[in-house]
Amino acid sequence: MKLVPSRFIALLLAVCTAMVPQMALAKVSVSFHSFNGSLLFGRYPHAFVVFEGTLDDTGERVYSNYGYTAVTAGPAVLAGPVRQTMMSEKDKYIRSTNRHFTVTVSDATYRRMIAEVAAWRDKPGKNYVLDSNNCIHFVGAIMQLAGVRVTYPSSMVRKPKAWMNHITRLNPQLGARQIP
């Protein structure tokens, strides 16, 4: 059998491709979580984000989570504004929360999201306001960077799970289910 040069090259590429292990496609997933709160354990309702995956351009593994909250809980939070902080939750805690939906983002979008985390964390002064600048508003800012439609009904700004269910209804393209 006589091989013409173009067929030979195609055959050679096919053989080489079959011999080289295929790299998994890198991606970063962003999951949006809520916590119902617990009177027994002193945790208030809360919303936060989890980043997990691998960056395409560097191969760097990503695993982090962020939740915006007041530095201290107490009566001052009701009067606001108070000092803010960015929390990272332990894996054990994350497993006990409601994961509402996950989106996959590009490296560029991931980096914009991490810059947004830093902007909220590093803003000087007292910026946490229970009804207008809380964990829900932070998570909403991250969602918007992923192209998710976000609104903040006043009846939900202290109810992260109800608010996330609202976001799910606003964005049927996410394929997310309501969490009872």
Side-chain angles (χ1 to χ4, degrees):
M1 176 177 167
K2 183 176 179 184
L3 286 177
V4 291
S6 61
R7 286 189 181 167
F8 176 75
I9 292 171
L11 178 64
L12 183 61
L13 284 174
V15 169
C16 290
T17 301
M19 292 172 56
V20 175
Q22 296 297 310
M23 288 180 32
L25 293 176
K27 61 183 175 180
V28 175
S29 297
V30 185
S31 299
F32 297 91
H33 292 250
S34 71
F35 177 67
N36 301 334
S38 171
L39 293 175
L40 297 177
F41 298 105
R43 294 293 302 255
Y44 295 97
H46 186 52
F48 64 100
V49 298
V50 176
F51 298 98
E52 186 170 14
T54 305
L55 295 174
D56 283 320
D57 60 1
T58 64
E60 175 190 353
R61 293 276 309 138
V62 170
Y63 184 75
S64 58
N65 69 81
Y66 303 97
Y68 182 78
T69 190
V71 170
T72 57
V77 170
L78 296 172
V82 297
R83 292 209 177 276
Q84 70 281 350
T85 190
M86 196 63 69
M87 289 179 57
S88 288
E89 303 294 352
K90 295 179 181 174
D91 287 341
K92 180 180 176 182
Y93 175 77
I94 293 170
R95 287 190 297 273
S96 69
T97 65
N98 307 304
R99 186 178 74 189
H100 290 264
F101 58 90
T102 301
V103 296
T104 302
V105 299
S106 68
D107 290 5
T109 298
Y110 165 75
R111 288 190 174 95
R112 282 193 298 276
M113 289 174 166
I114 292 302
E116 188 73 10
V117 169
W120 282 70
R121 179 193 65 219
D122 299 339
K123 191 170 184 179
K126 297 178 179 181
N127 296 290
Y128 184 92
V129 180
L130 187 58
D131 290 328
S132 62
N133 203 46
N134 66 19
C135 62
I136 286 173
H137 299 92
F138 162 71
V139 168
I142 300 298
M143 286 177 180
Q144 288 175 321
L145 290 171
V148 175
R149 183 171 172 233
V150 175
T151 63
Y152 304 97
S154 60
S155 63
M156 295 181 190
V157 295
R158 295 186 188 185
K159 300 174 181 174
K161 182 172 77 171
W163 177 74
M164 292 260 204
N165 282 333
H166 164 74
I167 296 302
T168 296
R169 289 188 299 275
L170 280 179
N171 295 275
Q173 77 280 7
L174 298 171
R177 63 178 175 79
Q178 301 288 302
I179 294 181

